[in-house]
Every structure is written in C-alpha cells, then in structure tokens.
C-alpha cells in the first residue's frame, strides 16, 4: 500500500521536555520494569533505588504529575495506542 502523504496527528498530554527528562531519570532503574518499581515503592522496599535511596526518591517525586497534568490525562478520551 502506498504511504499516505497525510500528516500524522500529534497528541501531547505532557510537556515533551518533561517527558524526556522523566525517561532519562527512569533509566537509572534500567533492568527493573515499571511494575517491579511500583511494587517495590508500595512495599517500602528501597533495594531497587540503588546506593542513594533518598536521592532516587527525590528524583521520582520531581516527576509526579501535577494536578493539571492529571486532569488533562483524565479528560483524554482518544486512542491510547498512539
């Protein structure tokens, strides 16, 4: 099938710079998946947070979504696989 010349629709729910910085920060937990990290945090298990658990927690807190971001994501009713 021929490629479409139609421009792709871009959906931005979070500031791209903030999303990129968050991705970089999450790489420090590289070999651990998101589910494993969440499970660890909910169980107060700091073993996944490396040699500086307090610093890792501070970094995670910096990327907690703001009320505005949460509201925007909750209102979004478009496709979730983009």
């Amino acid at each position: 099938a021929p490629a479409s010349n139609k421009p792709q629709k871009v959906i931005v729910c979070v500031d791209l710079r903030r999303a990129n910085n968050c991705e970089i920060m999450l790489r420090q937990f590289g070999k651990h998946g998101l589910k494993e990290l969440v499970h660890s945090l909910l169980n107060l298990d700091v073993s996944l947070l490396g040699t500086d658990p307090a610093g890792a927690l501070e970094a995670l807190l910096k990327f907690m979504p703001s009320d505005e971001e949460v509201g925007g994501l909750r209102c979004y009713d478009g496709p979730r696989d983009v």
Side-chain angles (χ1 to χ4, degrees), residues 19 33 46 57 59:
V46 297
L57 286 173

Side-chain angles (χ1 to χ4, degrees), residues 13 65-78 80:
C13 295
S66 67
D67 290 342
E68 182 180 329
E69 291 169 330
V70 170
L73 290 170
R74 285 193 174 142
C75 291
Y76 177 72
D77 63 355
R80 297 184 185 261

Side-chain angles (χ1 to χ4, degrees), residues 26-66:
L26 287 172
R27 284 187 192 149
Q28 70 180 307
F29 307 109
K31 63 183 178 185
H32 305 289
L34 185 58
K35 286 183 181 182
E36 190 177 359
L37 178 59
V38 169
H39 182 266
S40 176
L41 292 171
L42 291 174
N43 289 296
L44 304 175
D45 174 9
V46 297
S47 64
L48 296 184
L49 300 180
T51 57
D52 181 19
L57 286 173
E58 281 183 41
L60 286 168
L61 286 172
K62 285 180 186 176
F63 291 99
M64 289 289 295
S66 67

Side-chain angles (χ1 to χ4, degrees), residues 1-30:
S4 173
N5 290 335
K6 190 176 183 181
Q8 289 185 343
K9 185 176 183 180
V10 175
I11 301 167
V12 179
C13 295
V14 178
D15 176 72
L16 294 177
R17 175 179 273 166
R18 180 168 158 79
N20 188 41
N21 289 339
C22 183
E23 182 180 348
I24 291 168
M25 183 272 305
L26 287 172
R27 284 187 192 149
Q28 70 180 307
F29 307 109

